[in-house]
Amino acid sequence: MKGRFFAGLIISIFILGTGCNVQKQPHLTAKKDLVKEIDNSIAQAGKQYKYFMQQIPADKFPRSLDKDGKLVTSGSGWWCSGFYPGTLLYLVEATNDQGLKTEALNRLKLLEKEQFNKSTHDLGFMMFCSFGNANRLAPKPEYKQILINSARSLASRFDEKVGCIRSWNSKPSDFLVIIDNMMNLELLFWATKETGDSSFYKIAVTHANTTIKNHFRPDYSTYHMVNYNAKTGLPQKKHTVQGAADESAWARGQGWGLYGYTVMYRETRDKKYLELANHIADYILKHPNLPADKIPYWDFNAPGIPNALRDASAGSLIASALIELSGYNQGKASKTYLDAAEVMLHSLCSDVYTAPYGTSQGFLLNHGVGNLPGKSEVDVPLTYADYYFVEAMLRYKNLKR
Ligand code: GLY
């Protein structure tokens, strides 16, 4: 079956393969054994991150590359600070490399203080991708306390009237919520399980339900941002910041929604979340603008398709979510989602997206798009592309084990 699948992939890439605005055209070759391919990619990723470690100042977190290929770093307060330690921890899990482990633990120390940061909604990304993985692999009371404090800080941004956690701070009349915020809810579910305090769970469910009501269009694509009236709690504007247009489907936003509602189903077993996650997956996978290698353009409605840029971060996070979602479905749907994730992983593992050893300052993947309208981080490596790529590879290996 898989042989036929990959043969089909090659033919369709041959036919459609001119639509990738990356330096090279994809020349994906058939690989019968994706697990073996992933094993090679993980081994290469371990080596690449050992090189990466040497490029990053001890008091900083990697962020991306500038237009000259130089490393751009951030402090611990940037929304992406948890991805580098999180990726290191996934690689430690896969390779048991003690050098990577020491590096991960050192970066966690730098990140610790963000547990009390109430000025951002990104605490799930920052703290659960890092300390959440650290605690999963080697539970420690201090990790638990950091995660509980992080969940409290995140919950402090919840507003009863709106029924959401505030995403971005703005003028008092606006209450801004972006679809990305769905990714921060996993931390709240963990906190309820750990503490027995159901208020975290209730906040997560309320936020997810309000988001279903107001973020999604009839075709199950999602707006990037909903601006709620802070007084009435009602939506007053729906628009984009990082997408091509207010009514377009920003690729990573669709991915955040897909991943977020898959987690919602995992944590609540409420079928309405599974149905929504399936609808989002179908929107993505049946979209006429999804390229043959299944790594999306940065926006499904990007101007210039098929010559628009791809976003490897959307590809890796969608692949990871689809692997989990396939496990909650049976029959055709389950197979469709897993087949698509396989194509995505096969594409990401290829040299079209994976940086050769010692290049890209040590990032794993090239061709991410952070914020194209803001002219920031365009066609560059991104720490979250690496994180969800490694996560997806480990999920796939675990599934096949
Ligand atoms: N959470 C911000 C982004 O996806 O770019």
Side-chain angles (χ1 to χ4, degrees), residues 325-340:
L325 187 61
S326 77
Y328 300 144
N329 283 279
Q330 279 99 44
K332 191 163 171 271
S334 175
K335 185 179 172 332
T336 300
Y337 300 153
L338 193 59
D339 283 354

Side-chain angles (χ1 to χ4, degrees), residues 79 121-122 125 168 178 180 224 242 250 252 256 370 384:
W79 76 276
H121 74 135
D122 286 318
F125 284 123
W168 294 344
I178 55 174
D180 323 30
H224 183 195
Q242 286 162 255
W250 173 49
R252 198 163 53 255
W256 294 143
Y384 41 101

Side-chain angles (χ1 to χ4, degrees), residues 44-59:
Q44 189 186 328
K47 286 196 199 113
Q48 179 78 337
Y49 259 48
K50 289 204 112 164
Y51 172 76
F52 200 19
M53 280 164 48
Q54 295 159 29
Q55 318 307 314
I56 307 162
D59 58 343

